[in-house]
Amino acid sequence: MTFATLKDTLGREPITIVEMDLDFCQLTYSISPCTAAIGVTGSTKCYNTFQTCQDRENYDRGTKTYRFSTANANLPVGQNLFPCVTNVSHVPTKIDVNGLSVRATIKIDMIDFPHHDRGIDPYTDDRNFDPEFQGTFWGKFKARNPFVIDRTIRVKYGFIDPTGFDTTYSTDFEIREYVIEKIDGPDANGKVTITAKDILKLANNQKAKAPIQSLGVLSAGITNSATTIGLDTVAGYSSSGLIRIGDELITYTGISVLNLTGCVRGTNNTTAVTHDADDGAQLCLQYTATPVQEIIEDLLINFAAVPPAFIPITDWNDEDFLDPYDFTTIITTPTGVQDLLQELTQQSNSNLWWDDRDQEIKLKAIRIPLPNEVTEVVNMDNIIGKGIKVIERRDLRVSRVVIHYGVFDFTQDLMEFSNYRKHITDVDTDSESADEYGSIKEKEIFSRWIPSDAVARDLSTRIINRLKNTPKEITFTVDAKDSGIKTGDPIFVVTRQVQDELGVDKNTLYIVTEEKKLKEGSKSMYKATEFNTGVTGGTVGLIGPNSLLDFTLESDANKATFAFISNNSGLMSDGSPGYRIV
Amino acid sequence: MTLTITSPQLGSDFSQDACRFLFDNLFDTANTVVASSEDPDFPVENVSDWLLTDFFAPAATGTYHITLTMPTTTNVDCMAFFRQDLHLNAGSIVLQYFDGAVWQDATSTILPADDKPQIFYFDTISASMWRFEIDSTVIASIGALFVGEHMALEVGVWGGFTPPIFARNNNMITSMSQSGQFIGRSIVSNAGSISLTAEFQTLGFMRSEWLPFIKHAELKPFFFTWNNDNFPLEDSFAWLDQTNTSASNQTFNRMSANIKMRVLTE
């Protein structure tokens, strides 16, 4: 049976599997090419880990997968599972309305135990001690495997299949992948805690910067008109490009030995000045009319070392609502990639998050979902008990947007008003009026990326349309059988906690911002933010192709995707609300 | 006048020898234990370490043997196994002994129908070499294997004892909707929990039989049959669930002890 079938089964038996892929040498001790030998390189055999290796020149790094599980009396036969997981605590990915998501963190508690080393140590027969009575599993494990940072860990939520255990650990499991941050313990109570974060952790400001810090310094002082600049090293410099020395930007067209040639001094509104020997020459990062998704891809792959397999660039390119956002900028100093991603998502009105179920990084424009994209309806028949809460997110409301763009000098303060040529202010006067909220809620953006007035106004319009009315945030819990909803999904929620003016439970559109397993295999908690369309009444649809038939003749799928002309009363021929262009 | 009280009149519902414990495994005292086929990631040591989280598996399918060579002639009257998947592909297992000339069957060929704990008793046989002959068309795993002699209480269990199959102890997690409907349930299986009182055992039995069992049970699990007379198929894999395992004197020069156990019956 598959995971989807098992989660719907009454009396399902949840099981959580934790898999760690750690380094493990593929050679055999003292067998060529391994030159280690007892009495020569060490007094005992290694444990096939780098830490214990006695012939590191020939160390052949492979991977060994270790599996742990929650305790259950019905564990499968024939599987090497250590049932020592006592708790899995999940701080989920949280989509932030301002763009970049909050990282998902997972903490896995385990209990230590005595272990005979079989299945762990390849040479148990050659030891002169009994490992079952010396040390503990985690004590020995950590000493042999200290290098765990950024290695892969997978948490697999599943169920014990009564028709036969899934020994591939895939079909019957919902798999979530992370990178290990640390392993603490064992403490005095034998508790071990593994902390891991989602793959976007690699983009943390401390780990990833763009551009990378350049190593070159001037080999000699230069005048303000020198067109050839000598460096002590050209390692890491592109064959042509833009560098920053002090507050001056300089383009160059070639590299000859250790010299940057064809230099044009004082470009991009900077001033050519003299520079001294040993002054640093920082290679700059430039983007010119580059689609935002390509910039994000470049930052993640080339500066944060995120494996390309996690970036579905085809899906990103299909996000039509990102089309207006082709950006231009110069980044003159190493800047945290996380900060840059935050700017990019905020200024392209999009969300970027790690989808730990699909195991890929999602980039989606914040836009009104089409009717055919909203498939889940949550109501009193599937919300559990009293686990529902609705709050007003007044902090999210925005009534006016101020955008500063058109940077004058990229070497100067980018939070300084005077460093920007252009400023726009977009105001929703209705929501600021005394008849509505009667107050100003301003969002100010200093943008090094936005190239034009059209892009700035597109951004401000989308923000105001979405946030001019205070959105609700709803938190609810569902049974595992209804846990197909994922972070980022649009859903309708109908609950007596949100009523219309007639007292009828109101069918309200939300975007799921957070999903958390409350009890693995049993209950899941969701948090979702109301999605205001910015218009009252009507149905959303796209401008359709010429090939569409009349409304009455078209398929339900096309009616849910494209807009059709309504009658003068704003209704379609079947009585449904007409479409509105937004 | 002398009043003699013997079981079952002492209060036990069942006869002597009905309540049995298997703990003194020949694997622990054998000179050698050799598997004729062995997957190095699933070595034969895994089958006798009393852990159900590691397994023995052969390197190839077909017929293979796990052979025990004892230091001296050894008495055996039972064998047991638990957590195996032979039953998934009509695999079989039989215990054999070497009579000095050929291998003889101590049990009939067993085709497990499931992976419940199973114990097989037979008349005592003495031999210095024992082996399990296992046959399977696919690679099959075994978690726990036992061969040796059983220890039986002189007086069986008393009224009020919960047979292991009824000692259900599973956690149920139920979901009910806002509208008050039952919408889902998860089960987490736990080992059953029982309490056994060994009443009116003789002073000699407690010293020669019960005390070695307790010393083993303080460290490791064991196999357990609560009533071999009437329910010979209700076998369990069990372990102590307490720290106080003391025994005390009673009247009539007898002793009693109470132990709490966790049991697996399936």
Side-chain angles (χ1 to χ4, degrees):
Chain A
M1 283 195 268
T2 63
F3 176 85
T5 306
L6 286 165
K7 75 176 176 62
D8 289 350
T9 306
L10 290 179
R12 62 211 166 207
E13 281 203 72
I15 185 169
T16 301
I17 306 288
V18 176
E19 286 183 347
M20 286 200 300
D21 292 341
L22 298 185
D23 302 346
F24 196 79
C25 184
Q26 301 184 90
L27 303 180
T28 302
Y29 187 90
S30 82
I31 305 294
S32 180
C34 176
T35 61
I38 292 178
V40 178
T41 57
S43 57
T44 63
K45 289 187 176 180
C46 68
Y47 290 85
N48 277 47
T49 65
F50 190 75
Q51 175 70 6
T52 63
C53 182
Q54 299 168 18
D55 179 21
R56 290 187 173 183
E57 274 191 20
N58 288 310
Y59 178 76
D60 185 3
R61 180 156 65 97
T63 298
K64 183 178 173 75
T65 299
Y66 300 88
R67 290 198 179 91
F68 308 86
S69 76
T70 45
N72 190 298
N74 264 343
L75 288 179
V77 171
Q79 298 298 306
N80 259 344
L81 283 175
F82 300 108
C84 60
V85 176
T86 56
N87 188 52
V88 178
S89 169
H90 183 217
V91 175
T93 288
K94 190 162 117 179
I95 288 181
D96 191 310
V97 71
N98 291 315
L100 188 61
S101 61
V102 173
R103 293 295 86 71
T105 302
I106 196 148
K107 283 196 176 182
I108 304 154
D109 292 334
M110 302 199 191
I111 194 72
D112 203 0
F113 52 96
H115 190 250
H116 45 57
D117 266 354
R118 290 192 294 274
I120 303 293
D121 176 9
Y123 316 112
T124 50
D125 291 341
D126 300 316
R127 303 296 175 194
N128 59 6
F129 67 96
D130 188 342
E132 187 173 356
F133 297 100
Q134 185 162 307
T136 60
F137 177 89
W138 278 107
K140 290 179 282 192
F141 190 88
K142 284 189 65 180
R144 297 167 187 169
N145 299 277
F147 308 114
V148 297
I149 305 300
D150 290 345
R151 270 58 169 187
T152 301
I153 186 167
R154 287 176 294 276
V155 180
K156 298 187 173 184
Y157 299 101
F159 303 92
I160 294 177
D161 187 345
T163 64
F165 188 79
D166 171 23
T167 55
T168 67
Y169 296 93
S170 56
T171 313
D172 292 353
F173 292 90
E174 181 187 274
I175 302 168
R176 302 191 182 204
E177 189 160 321
Y178 305 88
V179 289
I180 299 173
E181 191 166 78
K182 57 176 179 168
I183 301 180
D184 290 326
D187 66 9
N189 296 315
K191 180 177 160 188
V192 172
T193 300
I194 301 174
T195 303
K197 288 192 188 290
D198 71 38
I199 203 77
L200 281 172
K201 163 183 179 282
L202 298 176
N204 279 2
N205 288 336
Q206 292 76 22
K207 284 180 180 287
K209 290 194 190 299
I212 298 167
Q213 178 74 46
S214 296
L215 302 176
V217 299
L218 297 185
S219 54
I222 58 172
T223 66
N224 63 352
S225 58
T227 57
T228 297
I229 297 175
L231 302 178
D232 64 333
T233 177
V234 294
Y237 290 83
S238 52
S239 56
S240 64
L242 179 71
I243 60 170
R244 173 178 176 173
I245 304 176
D247 286 342
E248 180 186 352
L249 295 179
I250 303 166
T251 60
Y252 65 95
T253 57
I255 297 179
S256 172
V257 191
L258 291 176
N259 298 306
L260 305 182
T261 60
C263 296
V264 176
R265 305 293 301 272
T267 65
N268 296 286
N269 298 312
T270 60
T271 303
V273 296
T274 60
H275 298 286
D276 298 333
D278 294 331
D279 280 358
Q282 173 65 48
L283 184 66
C284 301
L285 180 59
Q286 294 185 90
Y287 297 102
T288 304
T290 307
V292 62
Q293 65 270 24
E294 290 181 17
I295 299 174
I296 293 174
E297 182 193 23
D298 181 51
L299 290 172
L300 288 175
I301 292 177
N302 296 317
F303 296 95
V306 171
F310 292 127
I311 298 177
I313 190 61
T314 303
D315 293 343
W316 291 10
N317 287 332
D318 286 343
E319 276 292 305
D320 295 333
F321 282 75
L322 290 178
D323 285 350
Y325 300 105
D326 290 352
F327 288 149
T328 298
T329 198
I330 301 172
I331 306 171
T332 65
T333 56
T335 306
V337 169
Q338 182 176 314
D339 286 345
L340 294 174
L341 294 175
Q342 172 68 40
E343 292 174 12
L344 287 164
T345 50
Q346 181 197 61
Q347 293 168 33
S348 62
N349 198 43
S350 60
N351 284 134
L352 184 76
W353 75 97
W354 168 249
D355 185 324
D356 52 11
R357 283 205 226 178
D358 290 350
Q359 294 173 65
E360 58 187 22
I361 298 172
K362 297 279 201 239
L363 174 66
K364 286 200 181 291
I366 301 173
R367 61 163 175 83
I368 303 168
L370 297 173
N372 65 355
E373 293 174 327
V374 188
T375 56
E376 294 288 341
V377 178
V378 181
N379 55 36
M380 62 188 296
D381 288 334
N382 48 21
I383 294 176
I384 287 179
K386 296 181 180 167
I388 186 165
K389 186 168 85 169
V390 181
I391 62 173
E392 304 276 326
R393 290 293 306 271
R394 295 191 188 88
D395 57 308
L396 296 179
R397 182 182 146 248
V398 174
S399 67
R400 63 176 59 192
V401 176
V402 177
I403 301 177
H404 313 285
Y405 66 98
V407 174
F408 187 78
D409 183 348
F410 284 97
T411 66
Q412 301 304 306
D413 188 353
L414 295 178
M415 297 299 289
E416 179 57 50
F417 180 93
S418 59
N419 198 19
Y420 288 87
R421 297 175 207 271
K422 306 283 181 70
H423 317 269
I424 66 151
T425 301
D426 202 346
V427 180
D428 184 75
T429 51
D430 288 341
S431 68
E432 290 185 352
S433 72
D435 290 332
E436 293 193 15
Y437 295 94
S439 66
I440 296 171
K441 284 292 296 290
E442 180 180 284
K443 184 178 186 68
E444 186 176 26
I445 298 172
F446 290 87
S447 175
R448 71 174 99 200
W449 302 96
I450 291 174
S452 69
D453 186 75
V455 174
R457 294 227 178 255
D458 183 279
L459 176 64
S460 65
T461 301
R462 293 189 190 197
I463 292 174
I464 287 180
N465 277 348
R466 183 165 57 92
L467 297 174
K468 64 183 180 184
N469 291 315
T470 299
K472 295 180 186 52
E473 181 181 87
I474 189 167
T475 306
F476 59 90
T477 303
V478 297
D479 183 74
K481 69 174 180 55
D482 297 313
S483 63
I485 303 170
K486 296 193 310 175
T487 301
D489 282 352
I491 57 172
F492 281 117
V493 181
V494 182
T495 168
R496 61 176 177 266
Q497 273 77 12
V498 179
Q499 300 168 17
D500 66 15
E501 60 272 21
L502 302 178
V504 176
D505 296 350
K506 189 176 173 189
N507 193 8
T508 310
L509 178 65
Y510 294 84
I511 301 293
V512 176
T513 56
E514 197 176 319
E515 178 228 336
K516 180 177 177 175
K517 294 206 179 295
L518 283 187
K519 193 82 185 163
E520 290 92 43
S522 300
K523 300 181 187 182
S524 292
M525 183 275 288
Y526 289 92
K527 199 169 275 193
T529 301
E530 182 181 8
F531 196 100
N532 284 315
T533 62
V535 296
T536 304
T539 301
V540 176
L542 300 174
I543 304 292
N546 289 340
S547 57
L548 286 177
L549 304 174
D550 285 345
F551 179 79
T552 53
L553 299 174
E554 261 300 342
S555 65
D556 287 343
N558 279 342
K559 287 178 186 176
T561 304
F562 301 108
F564 294 81
I565 306 296
S566 68
N567 62 28
N568 288 340
S569 303
L571 298 173
M572 306 308 296
S573 56
D574 61 359
S576 61
Y579 297 82
R580 291 188 69 127
I581 298 173
V582 295
Chain B
M1 185 172 93
T2 301
L3 176 67
T4 303
I5 301 172
T6 58
S7 172
Q9 291 86 345
L10 283 171
S12 164
D13 291 336
F14 311 112
S15 67
Q16 280 184 292
D17 200 38
C19 183
R20 301 177 172 189
F21 298 83
L22 282 64
F23 63 96
D24 192 6
N25 200 346
L26 257 52
F27 280 87
D28 295 333
T29 52
N31 278 347
T32 60
V33 176
V34 176
S36 60
S37 175
E38 181 184 83
D39 181 334
D41 289 333
F42 297 90
V44 71
E45 290 89 344
N46 287 350
V47 87
S48 61
D49 61 6
W50 294 102
L51 297 176
L52 301 179
T53 54
D54 56 29
F55 301 87
F56 161 75
T61 61
T63 302
Y64 54 96
H65 300 96
I66 299 174
T67 305
L68 291 77
T69 304
M70 308 306 297
T72 60
T73 301
T74 308
N75 292 339
V76 170
D77 64 13
C78 61
M79 64 161 276
F81 54 79
F82 185 36
R83 279 277 185 262
Q84 44 73 29
D85 55 8
L86 287 165
H87 67 282
L88 293 178
N89 291 283
S92 67
I93 182 170
V94 60
L95 177 67
Q96 298 175 327
Y97 66 97
F98 193 68
D99 68 2
V102 296
W103 288 97
Q104 302 278 3
D105 288 348
T107 65
S108 57
T109 300
I110 300 161
L111 282 79
D114 49 44
D115 73 341
K116 292 181 180 179
Q118 297 186 47
I119 305 174
F120 298 87
Y121 299 96
F122 44 87
D123 293 337
T124 301
I125 299 171
S126 297
S128 61
M129 288 181 70
W130 294 85
R131 74 179 187 184
F132 292 91
E133 182 171 275
I134 304 163
D135 183 76
S136 180
T137 56
V138 300
I139 302 289
S141 303
I142 304 176
L145 205 51
F146 176 94
V147 58
E149 283 191 294
H150 74 275
M151 182 271 281
L153 295 184
E154 294 176 313
V155 177
V157 296
W158 284 67
F161 171 78
T162 301
I165 61 167
F166 292 103
R168 300 184 69 81
N169 191 28
N170 298 328
N171 290 342
M172 291 185 290
I173 304 160
T174 302
S175 300
M176 283 184 63
S177 73
Q178 265 198 321
S179 53
Q181 296 184 39
F182 174 94
I183 54 175
R185 172 168 286 171
S186 299
I187 300 281
V188 179
S189 297
N190 291 321
S193 182
I194 63 173
S195 173
L196 179 142
T197 302
E199 294 264 32
F200 295 111
Q201 313 298 324
T202 62
L203 304 180
F205 169 85
M206 291 299 282
R207 286 154 175 77
S208 64
E209 304 291 333
W210 181 255
L211 190 56
F213 161 69
I214 287 296
K215 286 181 176 178
H216 167 94
E218 284 175 350
L219 301 176
K220 302 174 188 178
F222 48 92
F223 285 92
F224 170 62
T225 307
W226 75 282
N227 182 358
N228 196 59
D229 289 352
N230 300 94
F231 301 99
L233 300 182
E234 288 186 12
D235 300 319
S236 310
F237 183 89
W239 59 92
L240 281 190
D241 192 28
Q242 65 180 95
T243 53
N244 182 0
T245 56
S246 57
S248 55
N249 282 341
Q250 294 177 300
T251 52
F252 305 112
N253 267 347
R254 298 292 176 119
M255 294 186 75
S256 74
N258 175 269
I259 56 173
K260 291 181 175 43
M261 305 193 293
R262 303 300 297 270
V263 288
L264 292 173
T265 59
E266 56 189 33

